Coordinates of all heavy atoms in Angstrom, one line a residue:
M24 N 23.9 -10.0 -7.4 CA 23.0 -9.0 -7.1 C 21.6 -9.6 -6.5 O 21.1 -10.5 -7.1 CB 22.7 -8.2 -8.3 CG 21.8 -7.0 -8.1 SD 21.7 -5.9 -9.5 CE 20.1 -6.4 -10.2
V25 N 21.2 -9.1 -5.4 CA 19.9 -9.5 -4.8 C 18.8 -8.5 -5.1 O 19.0 -7.3 -4.9 CB 20.1 -9.7 -3.3 CG1 18.8 -10.1 -2.6 CG2 21.2 -10.7 -3.0
D26 N 17.7 -9.1 -5.6 CA 16.6 -8.2 -5.8 C 15.9 -7.8 -4.5 O 15.8 -8.7 -3.6 CB 15.5 -8.9 -6.7 CG 16.0 -9.0 -8.1 OD1 16.8 -8.2 -8.6 OD2 15.7 -10.0 -8.8
Q27 N 15.4 -6.6 -4.5 CA 14.7 -6.2 -3.3 C 13.3 -6.9 -3.2 O 12.6 -7.1 -4.2 CB 14.4 -4.7 -3.3 CG 13.8 -4.1 -2.1 CD 13.6 -2.6 -2.1 OE1 13.7 -2.0 -3.1 NE2 13.4 -2.0 -0.9
K28 N 12.9 -7.3 -2.0 CA 11.6 -8.0 -1.8 C 10.5 -6.9 -2.0 O 10.7 -5.8 -1.7 CB 11.6 -8.5 -0.4 CG 12.6 -9.6 -0.1 CD 12.6 -10.1 1.3 CE 13.3 -9.0 2.2 NZ 13.4 -9.4 3.6
R29 N 9.4 -7.4 -2.6 CA 8.3 -6.5 -2.9 C 7.0 -7.1 -2.3 O 6.8 -8.3 -2.2 CB 8.1 -6.4 -4.4 CG 9.3 -5.8 -5.1 CD 9.1 -5.8 -6.6 NE 10.3 -5.4 -7.2 CZ 10.4 -5.2 -8.5 NH1 9.4 -5.3 -9.3 NH2 11.5 -4.8 -9.0
A30 N 6.1 -6.1 -1.9 CA 4.8 -6.5 -1.3 C 3.8 -5.7 -2.0 O 4.0 -4.5 -2.2 CB 4.8 -6.4 0.2
L31 N 2.6 -6.3 -2.3 CA 1.4 -5.6 -2.8 C 0.4 -5.7 -1.7 O 0.0 -6.8 -1.3 CB 1.0 -6.2 -4.1 CG -0.3 -5.6 -4.7 CD1 0.0 -4.2 -5.2 CD2 -0.7 -6.4 -5.9
I32 N -0.1 -4.6 -1.2 CA -1.1 -4.6 -0.1 C -2.4 -4.0 -0.6 O -2.4 -2.8 -1.0 CB -0.6 -3.8 1.1 CG1 0.7 -4.4 1.6 CG2 -1.7 -3.8 2.2 CD1 1.3 -3.6 2.7
T33 N -3.5 -4.8 -0.6 CA -4.8 -4.3 -0.8 C -5.3 -3.8 0.5 O -5.0 -4.4 1.5 CB -5.7 -5.3 -1.5 OG1 -5.8 -6.4 -0.6 CG2 -5.2 -5.8 -2.8
G34 N -6.1 -2.7 0.5 CA -6.5 -2.2 1.8 C -5.5 -1.5 2.6 O -5.5 -1.5 3.9
I35 N -4.5 -0.9 1.9 CA -3.4 -0.3 2.6 C -3.8 0.9 3.4 O -3.1 1.3 4.4 CB -2.3 0.1 1.6 CG1 -1.0 0.4 2.4 CG2 -2.7 1.2 0.7 CD1 0.2 0.4 1.5
T36 N -5.0 1.5 3.1 CA -5.4 2.7 3.9 C -6.1 2.4 5.2 O -6.4 3.3 6.0 CB -6.3 3.6 3.0 OG1 -7.4 2.8 2.6 CG2 -5.5 4.1 1.8
G37 N -6.4 1.1 5.4 CA -7.0 0.7 6.6 C -5.9 0.5 7.7 O -4.7 0.6 7.4
Q38 N -6.4 0.4 8.9 CA -5.4 0.3 10.1 C -4.5 -0.9 9.9 O -3.3 -0.8 10.0 CB -6.2 0.1 11.4 CG -5.3 0.0 12.6 CD -6.0 -0.1 13.9 OE1 -7.2 0.0 13.9 NE2 -5.3 -0.3 15.0
D39 N -5.0 -2.1 9.6 CA -4.2 -3.3 9.5 C -3.2 -3.1 8.3 O -2.0 -3.5 8.4 CB -5.0 -4.5 9.3 CG -5.8 -4.9 10.5 OD1 -5.5 -4.4 11.6 OD2 -6.8 -5.7 10.4
G40 N -3.7 -2.6 7.2 CA -2.9 -2.5 6.0 C -1.7 -1.5 6.2 O -0.6 -1.7 5.8
A41 N -2.0 -0.4 6.9 CA -1.0 0.6 7.2 C 0.1 0.1 8.1 O 1.3 0.3 7.8 CB -1.6 1.9 7.8
Y42 N -0.3 -0.6 9.1 CA 0.7 -1.2 10.0 C 1.5 -2.3 9.4 O 2.7 -2.5 9.6 CB 0.0 -1.7 11.3 CG -0.1 -0.5 12.3 CD1 -1.4 0.1 12.5 CD2 0.9 -0.1 13.1 CE1 -1.5 1.2 13.3 CE2 0.8 1.0 14.0 CZ -0.4 1.6 14.1 OH -0.6 2.7 14.9
L43 N 0.8 -3.1 8.5 CA 1.5 -4.1 7.8 C 2.6 -3.5 6.8 O 3.7 -4.0 6.8 CB 0.6 -5.0 6.9 CG 1.2 -6.0 6.0 CD1 2.0 -7.0 6.8 CD2 0.1 -6.7 5.2
A44 N 2.2 -2.4 6.2 CA 3.1 -1.7 5.3 C 4.3 -1.2 6.1 O 5.5 -1.3 5.7 CB 2.4 -0.5 4.6
K45 N 4.1 -0.6 7.3 CA 5.2 -0.2 8.1 C 6.1 -1.3 8.5 O 7.4 -1.1 8.4 CB 4.6 0.5 9.4 CG 5.7 1.1 10.3 CD 5.2 1.9 11.4 CE 6.4 2.4 12.3 NZ 6.1 3.5 13.0
L46 N 5.6 -2.4 8.9 CA 6.4 -3.6 9.3 C 7.2 -4.1 8.1 O 8.4 -4.3 8.2 CB 5.5 -4.7 9.7 CG 6.2 -6.1 10.0 CD1 7.1 -6.0 11.2 CD2 5.2 -7.2 10.2
L47 N 6.6 -4.2 6.9 CA 7.3 -4.7 5.7 C 8.4 -3.7 5.3 O 9.5 -4.1 4.9 CB 6.3 -4.9 4.6 CG 5.4 -6.1 4.8 CD1 4.3 -6.2 3.7 CD2 6.1 -7.4 4.9
I48 N 8.1 -2.4 5.4 CA 9.2 -1.4 5.0 C 10.4 -1.5 6.0 O 11.5 -1.5 5.6 CB 8.6 0.0 5.1 CG1 7.6 0.2 3.8 CG2 9.7 1.1 5.1 CD1 6.8 1.5 3.9
S49 N 10.1 -1.8 7.3 CA 11.2 -1.9 8.2 C 12.0 -3.1 8.0 O 13.1 -3.2 8.4 CB 10.6 -1.9 9.7 OG 10.0 -3.1 9.9
E50 N 11.4 -4.1 7.3 CA 12.1 -5.3 7.0 C 12.7 -5.3 5.6 O 13.2 -6.3 5.0 CB 11.2 -6.5 7.1 CG 10.8 -6.8 8.6 CD 9.9 -8.0 8.7 OE1 9.7 -8.7 7.8 OE2 9.5 -8.3 9.9
G51 N 12.7 -4.1 4.9 CA 13.4 -4.0 3.6 C 12.5 -4.2 2.4 O 13.1 -4.3 1.3
Y52 N 11.3 -4.3 2.6 CA 10.4 -4.5 1.4 C 10.1 -3.2 0.7 O 10.0 -2.1 1.3 CB 9.0 -5.1 1.8 CG 9.1 -6.6 2.1 CD1 9.6 -7.1 3.3 CD2 8.5 -7.5 1.2 CE1 9.6 -8.4 3.5 CE2 8.5 -8.8 1.4 CZ 9.1 -9.3 2.6 OH 9.1 -10.6 2.9
Q53 N 9.9 -3.3 -0.6 CA 9.4 -2.2 -1.4 C 7.9 -2.5 -1.4 O 7.4 -3.5 -1.9 CB 9.9 -2.3 -2.9 CG 9.4 -1.3 -3.8 CD 9.9 -1.5 -5.2 OE1 10.9 -2.2 -5.5 NE2 9.2 -0.8 -6.1
V54 N 7.1 -1.5 -0.9 CA 5.7 -1.7 -0.7 C 4.9 -0.9 -1.7 O 5.1 0.3 -1.9 CB 5.3 -1.3 0.7 CG1 3.8 -1.4 0.9 CG2 6.0 -2.2 1.7
T55 N 3.9 -1.6 -2.3 CA 2.9 -0.9 -3.2 C 1.5 -1.2 -2.6 O 1.2 -2.3 -2.3 CB 3.0 -1.5 -4.7 OG1 4.3 -1.3 -5.2 CG2 2.0 -0.8 -5.6
G56 N 0.7 -0.1 -2.6 CA -0.6 -0.2 -2.1 C -1.6 0.0 -3.1 O -1.4 0.9 -4.0
V57 N -2.7 -0.7 -3.1 CA -3.8 -0.6 -4.1 C -4.9 0.2 -3.5 O -5.4 -0.1 -2.4 CB -4.3 -1.9 -4.6 CG1 -5.4 -1.8 -5.6 CG2 -3.2 -2.8 -5.2
L58 N -5.3 1.3 -4.2 CA -6.4 2.2 -3.8 C -7.6 1.9 -4.7 O -7.4 1.7 -5.9 CB -6.0 3.6 -3.9 CG -4.8 4.1 -3.1 CD1 -4.5 5.5 -3.4 CD2 -5.0 3.9 -1.6
D59 N -8.8 2.0 -4.2 CA -10.0 1.8 -4.9 C -10.2 3.0 -5.8 O -10.3 4.2 -5.3 CB -11.2 1.6 -4.0 CG -12.5 1.2 -4.7 OD1 -12.6 1.5 -5.9 OD2 -13.3 0.6 -4.0
P60 N -10.3 2.9 -7.1 CA -10.5 4.1 -8.0 C -11.9 4.7 -7.9 O -12.0 5.8 -8.3 CB -10.3 3.5 -9.4 CG -10.7 2.1 -9.3 CD -10.3 1.6 -7.9
L61 N -12.8 4.0 -7.3 CA -14.2 4.6 -7.2 C -14.4 5.3 -5.9 O -15.5 5.8 -5.6 CB -15.2 3.4 -7.3 CG -15.0 2.6 -8.6 CD1 -16.0 1.4 -8.6 CD2 -15.2 3.5 -9.8
R62 N -13.4 5.4 -5.0 CA -13.6 6.0 -3.7 C -12.5 7.0 -3.4 O -11.4 6.9 -4.0 CB -13.5 5.0 -2.5 CG -14.6 4.0 -2.4 CD -14.4 3.3 -1.1 NE -15.1 2.0 -1.2 CZ -15.1 1.2 -0.2 NH1 -14.4 1.4 0.9 NH2 -15.7 0.1 -0.3
D63 N -12.8 8.0 -2.6 CA -11.7 8.8 -2.1 C -11.0 8.1 -1.0 O -11.6 7.7 0.0 CB -12.3 10.1 -1.5 CG -12.8 11.1 -2.5 OD1 -12.3 11.0 -3.7 OD2 -13.7 11.9 -2.2
S64 N -9.8 7.8 -1.2 CA -9.0 7.0 -0.2 C -8.4 7.9 0.8 O -7.8 9.0 0.5 CB -7.9 6.2 -0.9 OG -8.5 5.3 -1.8
N65 N -8.5 7.5 2.1 CA -7.9 8.3 3.2 C -6.5 7.7 3.5 O -6.4 6.6 4.0 CB -8.9 8.2 4.4 CG -8.4 9.0 5.6 OD1 -7.3 9.6 5.5 ND2 -9.2 9.1 6.6
I66 N -5.5 8.5 3.2 CA -4.2 8.1 3.4 C -3.6 8.7 4.7 O -2.4 8.6 4.9 CB -3.3 8.4 2.2 CG1 -3.3 9.9 1.9 CG2 -3.7 7.6 0.9 CD1 -2.3 10.4 0.8
W67 N -4.4 9.2 5.5 CA -4.0 9.8 6.8 C -3.2 8.8 7.6 O -2.2 9.2 8.2 CB -5.2 10.2 7.6 CG -4.8 10.9 8.9 CD1 -4.5 12.2 9.1 CD2 -4.7 10.3 10.2 NE1 -4.1 12.4 10.4 CE2 -4.2 11.2 11.1 CE3 -4.8 9.0 10.6 CZ2 -4.0 11.0 12.4 CZ3 -4.6 8.7 11.9 CH2 -4.2 9.7 12.8
G68 N -3.6 7.5 7.7 CA -2.9 6.5 8.5 C -1.4 6.4 8.0 O -0.5 6.2 8.8
L69 N -1.2 6.4 6.7 CA 0.1 6.2 6.2 C 1.0 7.5 6.5 O 2.2 7.3 6.8 CB 0.1 6.0 4.6 CG -0.7 4.8 4.2 CD1 -0.8 4.8 2.6 CD2 -0.1 3.5 4.6
H70 N 0.3 8.6 6.5 CA 1.0 9.8 6.8 C 1.4 9.8 8.3 O 2.5 10.2 8.8 CB 0.2 11.1 6.5 CG 0.7 12.4 6.9 ND1 1.8 12.9 6.3 CD2 0.4 13.2 7.9 CE1 2.1 14.1 6.9 NE2 1.3 14.2 7.9
Y71 N 0.4 9.4 9.2 CA 0.6 9.4 10.6 C 1.7 8.5 11.0 O 2.5 8.8 11.9 CB -0.7 8.9 11.3 CG -0.6 8.7 12.8 CD1 -0.7 9.8 13.6 CD2 -0.5 7.4 13.3 CE1 -0.6 9.6 15.0 CE2 -0.4 7.2 14.7 CZ -0.4 8.3 15.5 OH -0.3 8.2 16.9
L72 N 1.9 7.3 10.3 CA 2.9 6.4 10.6 C 4.3 6.8 10.0 O 5.3 6.2 10.3 CB 2.6 5.0 10.1 CG 1.4 4.3 10.8 CD1 1.0 3.0 10.2 CD2 1.7 4.1 12.3
G73 N 4.3 7.9 9.2 CA 5.5 8.4 8.6 C 6.0 7.6 7.5 O 7.2 7.6 7.1
I74 N 5.2 6.8 6.8 CA 5.6 5.9 5.7 C 5.1 6.3 4.4 O 5.4 5.7 3.4 CB 5.3 4.4 6.0 CG1 3.8 4.2 6.1 CG2 6.0 3.9 7.2 CD1 3.3 2.8 6.2
L75 N 4.3 7.4 4.3 CA 3.7 7.8 3.0 C 4.7 8.0 1.9 O 4.5 7.5 0.8 CB 2.8 9.0 3.2 CG 2.1 9.5 2.0 CD1 1.2 8.4 1.4 CD2 1.2 10.7 2.3
P76 N 5.9 8.6 2.2 CA 6.9 8.8 1.1 C 7.5 7.5 0.7 O 8.1 7.5 -0.4 CB 7.9 9.7 1.8 CG 7.3 10.3 3.0 CD 6.2 9.4 3.4
E77 N 7.4 6.5 1.5 CA 8.1 5.2 1.1 C 7.2 4.2 0.5 O 7.6 3.1 0.1 CB 8.7 4.6 2.4 CG 9.7 5.5 3.1 CD 10.1 4.9 4.4 OE1 10.8 3.8 4.4 OE2 9.8 5.5 5.5
V78 N 5.9 4.6 0.3 CA 4.9 3.6 -0.3 C 4.5 4.1 -1.7 O 4.3 5.3 -1.9 CB 3.7 3.6 0.6 CG1 2.6 2.7 0.0 CG2 4.0 3.0 2.0
T79 N 4.5 3.2 -2.6 CA 3.9 3.5 -3.9 C 2.5 3.2 -3.9 O 2.1 2.1 -3.6 CB 4.6 2.7 -5.0 OG1 6.0 3.0 -4.9 CG2 4.1 3.1 -6.4
L80 N 1.6 4.2 -4.3 CA 0.2 4.0 -4.3 C -0.3 4.0 -5.8 O 0.1 4.8 -6.6 CB -0.5 5.1 -3.5 CG -0.2 5.2 -2.1 CD1 -0.8 6.4 -1.5 CD2 -0.6 3.9 -1.3
V81 N -1.1 3.0 -6.1 CA -1.7 2.8 -7.4 C -3.2 2.6 -7.3 O -3.7 2.1 -6.3 CB -1.1 1.7 -8.2 CG1 0.4 1.9 -8.5 CG2 -1.3 0.3 -7.5
R82 N -4.0 3.1 -8.2 CA -5.4 2.9 -8.2 C -5.7 1.7 -9.1 O -5.2 1.6 -10.2 CB -6.1 4.1 -8.7 CG -6.0 5.3 -7.8 CD -7.1 6.3 -8.0 NE -7.0 7.4 -7.0 CZ -7.6 7.4 -5.8 NH1 -8.4 6.4 -5.5 NH2 -7.5 8.4 -5.0
G83 N -6.6 0.8 -8.6 CA -7.0 -0.3 -9.4 C -8.2 -1.0 -8.8 O -8.3 -1.1 -7.6
N84 N -9.1 -1.4 -9.7 CA -10.3 -2.1 -9.2 C -10.0 -3.6 -9.3 O -9.8 -4.2 -10.3 CB -11.5 -1.7 -10.2 CG -12.8 -2.4 -9.8 OD1 -12.8 -3.2 -8.9 ND2 -13.8 -1.9 -10.5
L85 N -10.0 -4.2 -8.1 CA -9.7 -5.6 -8.0 C -10.8 -6.5 -8.6 O -10.6 -7.7 -8.8 CB -9.5 -6.0 -6.6 CG -8.3 -5.3 -5.9 CD1 -8.1 -5.7 -4.5 CD2 -7.0 -5.6 -6.7
H86 N -12.0 -5.9 -8.9 CA -13.0 -6.7 -9.6 C -12.9 -6.7 -11.1 O -13.7 -7.3 -11.8 CB -14.4 -6.1 -9.1 CG -14.7 -6.3 -7.7 ND1 -15.1 -7.5 -7.1 CD2 -14.6 -5.4 -6.7 CE1 -15.2 -7.4 -5.8 NE2 -14.9 -6.1 -5.5
D87 N -12.0 -5.9 -11.6 CA -11.8 -5.8 -13.0 C -10.4 -6.4 -13.4 O -9.4 -5.8 -13.1 CB -11.8 -4.3 -13.4 CG -11.7 -4.1 -14.9 OD1 -11.4 -5.0 -15.7 OD2 -11.9 -2.9 -15.3
F88 N -10.4 -7.5 -14.1 CA -9.2 -8.3 -14.3 C -8.2 -7.4 -15.2 O -7.0 -7.6 -15.1 CB -9.4 -9.7 -14.9 CG -9.7 -9.7 -16.4 CD1 -8.7 -10.0 -17.2 CD2 -11.0 -9.5 -16.9 CE1 -8.9 -10.0 -18.6 CE2 -11.2 -9.5 -18.2 CZ -10.2 -9.8 -19.1
I89 N -8.7 -6.5 -16.0 CA -7.9 -5.7 -16.8 C -7.1 -4.7 -15.9 O -5.9 -4.5 -16.2 CB -8.7 -4.9 -17.9 CG1 -9.2 -5.9 -18.9 CG2 -7.8 -3.9 -18.6 CD1 -10.2 -5.3 -19.9
D90 N -7.7 -4.2 -14.9 CA -7.0 -3.3 -14.0 C -5.9 -4.1 -13.2 O -4.8 -3.6 -13.0 CB -7.9 -2.7 -12.9 CG -8.5 -1.4 -13.4 OD1 -8.3 -1.0 -14.5 OD2 -9.3 -0.8 -12.6
V91 N -6.2 -5.3 -12.8 CA -5.3 -6.2 -12.1 C -4.1 -6.6 -13.0 O -3.0 -6.5 -12.6 CB -6.0 -7.4 -11.5 CG1 -5.0 -8.3 -10.8 CG2 -7.1 -7.0 -10.5

């Protein structure tokens, strides 16, 4: 049994992060994106690229080691 490849993307709501997520999904990765808990995150780019249903989004502060 082969485990599915996984990727964790910080900044997934930005242009580069969204396109990276699309590329990785097309290559068979399970993609998780980290959203800043202190901001309203704009997920429009993920929706526009048609990958929003395929991405797992989690909130986490990368400056807080307990969140990480």
Side-chain angles (χ1 to χ4, degrees):
M24 181 169 104
V25 176
D26 289 328
Q27 184 176 18
K28 299 176 281 186
R29 298 177 187 187
L31 178 67
I32 301 176
T33 60
I35 195 165
T36 58
Q38 180 179 354
D39 293 343
Y42 278 100
L43 175 60
K45 182 174 179 156
L46 172 69
L47 292 173
I48 288 169
S49 73
E50 293 184 2
Y52 280 77
Q53 177 184 345
V54 175
T55 301
V57 180
L58 303 176
D59 188 335
L61 304 176
R62 292 190 202 176
D63 288 333
S64 297
N65 184 353
I66 57 173
W67 181 86
L69 301 173
H70 176 73
Y71 175 79
L72 293 174
I74 59 171
L75 184 57
E77 301 175 64
V78 174
T79 302
L80 298 173
V81 295
R82 292 203 179 266
N84 183 349
L85 297 178
H86 296 281
D87 183 350
F88 82 96
I89 292 174
D90 272 3
V91 175

